[in-house]
Amino acid sequence: MDVNPAPEATDGAPTRRRLLTTLAAGAGAAALPALAGCTTATSGTTGTAAAQPTGSPSGSTSPGTADRDAAPGAMQLFDDPDFNFQALFALGAAGEGATEVGETLTAVNAVNQAGVNNQSYTETFRSWGDRLAEQAQGAGEDDEPQTQGFRALRSSAYYEQALYFVLGSAEPDHEQRLYQAGRDSFDTFARTLTPPAVTATLPYGDARMPLWFFRPEGATGRRPTVILTNGSDGQNVDMWTYGVAEALRRDWNALVYDGPGQGQLLFVDGVPFTPRWERVVTPIVDWLTARDDVNPDRIALTGFSLGGVLAPRAAAFERRLAAVVAGPGVVAPWNAFPSEIREVLAPTKEETNRIWNDEAAPDIPKSDYFTLNKRFEPYDAAVMRQARQGELFTDFWTPARVLVDMDISKVAGRIQCPALVVDFEDDQFFPGQARTLYDLIRSDKDYVEMTRAQGAQLHCSPMAPQYYCETVFDWLQQKVRG
């Protein structure tokens, strides 16, 4: 599954005309995949809360967007499938206390009444984050720390909802502020647990990677530990729902972290993704093996969403891992982009950026800037800086080359530990890649599909996090804990 990073230009330029036609019509931008934090893209506007619903100009579902039939009936919170997909995660997280069903549905109703767009979505969920953060911070001496903590956890989840769409709002420069608000709430939650999460930082270049180490209450001795790797759009609150809570119930330790392209390293330090994820995981394993409450022979690594390519990459080089999980399995993130976007990438940086800035970008509607900026932001800090000014990025080459280099087709066969590859029926971003990864792995391996019949369809099973965790940890119990 090798990627062709630089297709040759043709004299007649049919590729260029197709590119311009597609992008000018909005289809190319709207078709961009989520590539990780379990959120998809939309061509929303920066207008007032009364603006009309957004989507592709024709009003039809774009090629990269989930089929509406994949989220039928009560699963359709918004007519726009992109906003709907994001909101399903908020609703699904209620099972672990990361959100509340009533709070989520009240927010959804408010967005629908105001008019569904980036602005109304951001404003509504930010207000819920503010409300619960204030309640958590204002707790008195007689208030239970559990109440304070879980209000802070829900606050973090609602800030995450707002954070995703803020670059398409009227205040894109509030991105770091929204991230920090969610981070502060998550830190409050982590401190209120029994026992409190252990926090630390590890060096990564000139930056420091933050990590949160969760331990079961009352546990003693060395225990199995799972390292939970997020994707690009999700925040650490997601990892509570998709791993930490389940790990603690099973008497496992759980470690959550921000690597390059994620959380603090992206939004504050401006450090983009690296294809060499083993350089991220190895110092974490070093840190864990030095602890007297970690069994060094029972350390597992999971990758969620885009983490489905990061974790297998790390496992191909870090030999101390007892098991690896890819959910979903991903081999080549660049291949998930529509061909019209990939065809911009030429053999050289100069030619690539000339095509982008002279032939493509001038015809892209400003309403599509959000989609493009959001998709490329984690791979180049320059994209983030321009996006926060409401501008479209001008260097296409740099983030595209990072995406190309994330292809693990040539190294997946080096994985030696047991591997679980998860696939999602109706996955709208990486269809077929899970099976490809499974076929490339040569070690002890298993493959499982989350299906519509289980209510676990769509990328990352937004409505079935408990079923996802049960499946993953049942497998980890067998392979790691024995």
Side-chain angles (χ1 to χ4, degrees), residues 62-80:
S62 65
T65 304
D67 185 341
R68 290 175 187 268
D69 292 338
M75 293 182 184
Q76 188 171 325
L77 305 178
F78 295 108
D79 288 337
D80 186 296

Side-chain angles (χ1 to χ4, degrees), residues 291-315:
R291 295 185 60 87
D292 61 8
D293 52 2
V294 171
N295 185 330
D297 297 323
R298 293 181 175 180
I299 298 174
L301 176 66
T302 68
F304 186 65
S305 195
L306 187 69
V309 75
L310 304 176
R313 166 74 199 200

Side-chain angles (χ1 to χ4, degrees), residues 95-297:
E96 294 294 358
T99 60
E100 184 83 278
V101 171
E103 292 167 354
T104 300
L105 293 180
T106 299
V108 166
N109 287 341
V111 175
N112 275 318
Q113 291 168 6
V116 186
N117 56 62
N118 296 327
Q119 187 72 22
S120 64
Y121 199 102
T122 299
E123 289 177 352
T124 299
F125 278 97
R126 174 168 25 197
S127 70
W128 274 100
D130 289 343
R131 181 184 314 178
L132 288 163
E134 183 178 357
Q135 292 175 4
Q137 294 168 0
E141 293 181 0
D142 296 332
D143 292 331
E144 291 290 336
Q146 290 86 352
T147 298
Q148 178 189 15
F150 276 93
R151 285 180 178 172
L153 181 66
R154 301 203 307 275
S155 169
S156 181
Y158 299 140
Y159 279 132
E160 178 190 27
Q161 291 285 318
L163 173 64
Y164 179 78
F165 289 105
V166 70
L167 285 183
S169 75
E171 299 171 321
D173 58 327
H174 284 194
E175 183 182 50
Q176 182 175 338
R177 188 181 309 175
L178 267 177
Y179 161 73
Q180 193 62 56
R183 163 70 180 275
D184 291 345
S185 289
F186 185 77
D187 284 341
T188 297
F189 167 70
R191 287 194 301 269
T192 63
L193 290 173
T194 304
V198 175
T199 57
T201 63
L202 298 175
Y204 183 82
D206 295 331
R208 304 282 302 185
M209 296 192 302
L211 58 84
W212 296 257
F213 181 68
F214 299 86
R215 299 157 294 165
E217 183 176 359
T220 59
R222 294 182 179 271
R223 295 180 296 280
T225 301
V226 60
I227 303 170
L228 299 163
T229 304
N230 211 335
S232 70
D233 295 331
Q235 304 307 313
N236 287 327
V237 63
D238 296 334
M239 295 296 93
W240 172 260
T241 300
Y242 281 88
V244 176
E246 186 71 18
L248 297 180
R249 280 194 291 269
R250 299 190 185 221
D251 198 33
W252 283 57
N253 302 319
L255 185 143
V256 175
Y257 65 101
D258 285 340
Q262 302 172 325
Q264 178 178 313
L265 265 69
L266 175 65
F267 295 119
V268 179
D269 300 324
V271 180
F273 269 116
T274 174
R276 310 293 181 253
W277 207 254
E278 66 276 11
R279 299 177 183 175
V280 179
V281 169
T282 289
I284 295 174
V285 176
D286 291 340
W287 187 86
L288 286 172
T289 57
R291 295 185 60 87
D292 61 8
D293 52 2
V294 171
N295 185 330
D297 297 323

Side-chain angles (χ1 to χ4, degrees), residues 340-352:
E340 294 83 4
I341 296 296
R342 287 186 280 124
E343 286 170 358
V344 173
L345 188 57
T348 67
K349 181 176 183 177
E350 181 181 20
E351 176 65 7
T352 296

